[in-house]
Amino acid sequence: RSDLWITSKLWNSEHAADAVPKALAKTLTDLGLEYLDLYLIHWPVTGNTGPQVDPPIQETWGALEAECRAGRCKSIGVSNFSGKKLKAMSAYWTIPPAVNQVELHPLLRQDGLLETCKDLGVHCTAYSPLGSPDSSAMIGHEGQSVMEHPVVKQIAADLGASPAQVLIKWAIARGTSVIPKSTSPQRIQANFESIALDLKPDHIAQLSALEPQVRMLHGNFWCSPDGPYRSTADLWDE
């Protein structure tokens, strides 16, 4: 077990203080585990309508802290949280989030969020580092544009690497952990080989200057005219 790092997430409907331990217990039973290495609040969303998220994040976080102290998860964190939401949490957390797992790639660098997380001592993990092209048709975005970007493809050609490897190494070079999704053993192996890629400072600078910035996992499916998020700008505090 110690050779594996296993992360799971708390779903939106299970944010109430009495629901959190039940949700975690079910996850542990389903996976045949005694503990998780990391347990994340999946979204700052509960499915309610109205002016505020209910149950409030403070209630949910308190329940996660209790599970962490009990040893059922070794560390706790969040996913899809803005810097503003993290700063609000810092007023009441007693165990800071170990991780904020968010969409990060050259077309969504989120430099300000990374700086806020650094100031708060929260590590950032990059999800969808390749732009999540497999979900583009399902939720309506242009994720393929990340790996197909001419700058990404040219750097890959110059280094004799794949665009995916370039994007993964760029994420590592920024100091984030990175979780590319794949079910192919060959691609998983190629992803690990990204670590050895010799991405030059000039390459990093080129990738870090791409515009326009576009959020692929936009989150508009959580927005409602009745609140608490009436627009994606509300959701992401943009």
Side-chain angles (χ1 to χ4, degrees):
R1 172 67 180 89
S2 63
D3 291 335
L4 300 175
W5 178 278
I6 301 176
T7 300
S8 190
K9 295 179 178 177
L10 178 73
W11 187 239
N12 305 349
S13 57
E14 310 300 321
H15 277 216
D18 61 350
V20 170
K22 297 174 185 176
L24 177 55
K26 184 178 187 307
T27 294
L28 292 175
T29 298
D30 289 346
L31 295 175
L33 300 173
E34 294 183 356
Y35 68 90
L36 293 174
D37 297 283
L38 177 62
Y39 198 38
L40 305 175
I41 298 177
H42 199 151
W43 289 89
V45 171
T46 65
N48 74 294
T49 55
Q52 304 292 333
V53 172
D54 186 48
I57 297 299
Q58 183 171 359
E59 176 180 331
T60 309
W61 190 252
L64 260 69
E65 289 182 331
E67 293 303 304
C68 189
R69 290 192 180 96
R72 286 183 283 273
C73 41
K74 300 297 185 183
S75 55
I76 51 178
V78 296
S79 182
N80 299 301
F81 273 54
S82 67
K84 180 178 179 179
K85 290 179 175 64
L86 286 169
K87 287 179 180 177
M89 287 180 66
S90 70
Y92 55 75
W93 68 40
T94 57
I95 301 175
V99 168
N100 185 19
Q101 188 185 111
V102 292
E103 179 185 351
L104 294 170
H105 46 71
L107 293 184
L108 190 69
R109 293 186 298 274
Q110 304 211 69
D111 296 324
L113 175 59
L114 264 63
E115 191 63 32
T116 297
C117 287
K118 181 180 179 181
D119 291 343
L120 293 172
V122 179
H123 176 75
C124 281
T125 294
Y127 78 63
S128 298
L130 313 182
S132 192
D134 60 328
S135 69
S136 60
M138 180 175 65
I139 66 173
H141 67 75
E142 297 182 356
Q144 191 64 34
S145 63
V146 182
M147 286 201 291
E148 293 296 327
H149 195 285
V151 171
V152 175
K153 293 177 75 172
Q154 184 59 58
I155 292 172
D158 290 347
L159 296 176
S162 70
Q165 288 175 320
V166 168
L167 293 168
I168 292 167
K169 186 56 184 278
W170 176 84
I172 294 169
R174 299 180 86 204
T176 65
S177 50
V178 55
I179 48 173
K181 176 184 175 183
S182 181
T183 58
S184 162
Q186 292 79 16
R187 286 182 179 173
I188 291 170
Q189 180 61 38
N191 290 344
F192 276 115
E193 291 170 0
S194 305
I195 296 170
L197 193 65
D198 187 18
L199 202 61
K200 304 296 186 185
D202 181 58
H203 296 144
I204 294 170
Q206 290 179 61
L207 293 167
S208 299
L210 299 186
E211 297 293 341
Q213 295 287 282
V214 181
R215 190 182 296 278
M216 307 300 175
L217 282 298
H218 42 67
N220 64 9
F221 32 81
W222 303 130
C223 299
S224 166
D226 299 317
Y229 304 118
R230 292 177 171 80
S231 66
T232 53
D234 288 343
L235 175 63
W236 302 111
D237 298 306
E238 294 175 335

